[in-house]
């Protein structure tokens, strides 16, 4: 399960839906969190999901364009757009989450729209995918302590493992996504000892992602999944299965793939 996948407008132009579906199939990916700029990319994947036997869990992304990255947290038009998208739904069913969103300054987690959307997510049982630092994690949970928050990259900038562990202990609904995570693996691509220990302690709290935010990530998609399988192979099989599929399946109520 790829819990962090974008099909942004640049990718739509370079990689048709049939192509990205084929890449996922070759990589052995059976389910995705789809979130795209704009949301049309997610709609396209959702429409193709059933014929492709792909489970698409659609999220409303908060960006209509790149300009929205820097001010969405205080932009009431973003809140209105999210409500409209939730009402619209997708060909794969209702939206199941919000994000990915970015906060380049943790103080902006207290923006009026950021707080409003966190409360909305908690109220409607929507997951949230957030690219933020550890300080912003605390602020977001202050608005919605029971929200299901997926921490993109399990900490930007290489937040120490000890700090990740502290937040996992403090916030039982926090889930760590593992793309771009500094220190996760060694130079040979094998799992580092601190992360192996953290996964042993919290086997139900982490998920795999690709973060196809640029076209180069789509071009390398199969290699990204191969690299994930390499370090997953360093874990006990039951833990590896949880991180590769089971944790996302439990989070979104999905059956085992046939």
């Amino acid at each position: 399960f790829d819990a962090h996948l974008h099909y942004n407008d640049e990718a739509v132009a370079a990689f048709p839906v049939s192509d990205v579906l084929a890449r996922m199939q070759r990589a052995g990916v059976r389910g995705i969190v789809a979130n795209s700029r704009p949301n049309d990319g997610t709609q396209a994947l959702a429409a193709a999901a059933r014929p492709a036997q792909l489970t698409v869990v659609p999220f409303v992304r908060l960006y209509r364009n790149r300009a929205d990255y820097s001010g969405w947290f205080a932009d009431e038009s973003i809140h209105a757009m999210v409500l409209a998208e939730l009402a619209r739904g997708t060909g794969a069913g209702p939206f199941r989450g919000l994000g990915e969103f970015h906060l380049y300054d943790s103080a902006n987690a207290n923006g009026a729209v950021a707080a409003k959307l966190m409360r909305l997510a908690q109220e409607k049982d929507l997951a949230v995918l957030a690219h933020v630092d550890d300080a912003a994690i605390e602020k977001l949970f202050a608005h919605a302590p029971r929200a299901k928050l997926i921490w993109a990259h399990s900490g930007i900038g290489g937040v120490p493992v000890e700090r990740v562990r502290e937040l996992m202990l403090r916030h039982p609904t926090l889930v760590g996504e593992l793309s771009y995570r500094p220190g996760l693996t060694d130079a040979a691509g094998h799992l580092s000892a601190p992360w192996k220990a953290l996964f042993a302690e919290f086997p139900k709290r982490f998920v795999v992602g690709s973060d196809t935010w640029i076209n180069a990530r789509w071009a390398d998609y199969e290699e990204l999944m191969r690299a994930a399988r390499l370090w997953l192979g360093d874990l006990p099989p039951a833990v590896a299965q949880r991180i590769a599929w089971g944790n996302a399946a439990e989070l979104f109520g999905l059956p085992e793939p046939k």
Side-chain angles (χ1 to χ4, degrees):
F1 191 99
D2 184 345
H4 187 159
L5 183 139
H6 306 294
Y7 191 42
N8 294 332
D9 51 3
E10 302 93 340
V12 170
F15 300 95
V17 170
S18 59
D19 181 73
V20 299
L21 292 174
R23 290 172 189 271
M24 286 185 259
Q25 185 175 44
R26 291 194 299 269
V29 171
R30 305 293 299 276
I32 60 170
V33 162
N35 69 111
S36 310
R37 168 187 39 82
N39 288 295
D40 295 352
T42 294
Q43 292 284 355
L45 291 177
R50 188 170 298 172
Q53 296 185 313
L54 176 73
T55 297
V56 172
V57 177
F59 277 32
V60 179
R61 199 153 195 213
L62 309 189
Y63 307 147
R64 299 158 297 195
N65 50 54
R66 287 192 174 276
D68 287 334
Y69 283 54
S70 59
W72 67 268
F73 48 84
D75 186 342
E76 286 294 340
S77 73
I78 296 295
H79 180 251
M81 181 268 287
V82 168
L83 294 180
E85 289 287 352
L86 291 175
R88 175 187 180 195
T90 77
F95 283 101
R96 305 292 306 280
L98 307 179
E100 182 195 18
F101 61 72
H102 300 70
L103 290 171
Y104 301 112
D105 180 343
S106 60
N108 292 330
N110 288 328
V113 171
K116 192 180 296 188
L117 289 177
M118 286 301 299
R119 291 192 292 268
L120 176 71
Q122 180 173 274
E123 175 189 338
K124 294 188 173 297
D125 196 30
L126 301 169
V128 174
L129 177 60
H131 178 126
V132 300
D133 64 16
D134 54 313
I137 289 290
E138 302 276 31
K139 294 177 187 297
L140 292 172
F141 271 122
H143 301 308
R146 299 182 306 282
K148 298 184 293 190
L149 182 53
I150 304 171
W151 192 7
H153 320 304
S154 296
I156 58 176
V159 174
V161 173
E162 295 77 12
R163 175 63 168 154
V164 178
R165 180 178 183 273
E166 176 187 341
L167 291 171
M168 288 283 167
L169 287 168
R170 184 174 301 160
H171 302 291
T173 56
L174 178 63
V175 174
E177 184 272 323
L178 297 165
S179 64
Y180 278 112
R181 172 60 223 196
L184 178 67
T185 59
D186 62 21
H190 287 282
L191 193 60
S192 67
W195 281 92
K196 189 172 185 177
L198 191 66
F199 294 158
E201 185 175 2
F202 300 102
K204 298 183 178 182
R205 303 283 294 281
F206 291 93
V207 293
V208 171
S210 63
D211 192 7
T212 50
W213 69 288
I214 52 175
N215 285 358
R217 300 285 283 185
W218 273 116
D220 292 340
Y221 190 80
E222 291 158 73
E223 172 58 25
L224 294 174
M225 293 297 108
R226 186 207 63 79
R229 283 191 169 86
L230 179 62
W231 62 256
L232 284 167
D234 297 326
L235 292 166
V239 176
Q241 191 279 337
R242 292 287 321 185
I243 295 173
W245 178 270
N247 292 338
E250 186 171 299
L251 185 62
F252 300 115
L254 307 177
E256 287 295 318
K258 296 179 180 178

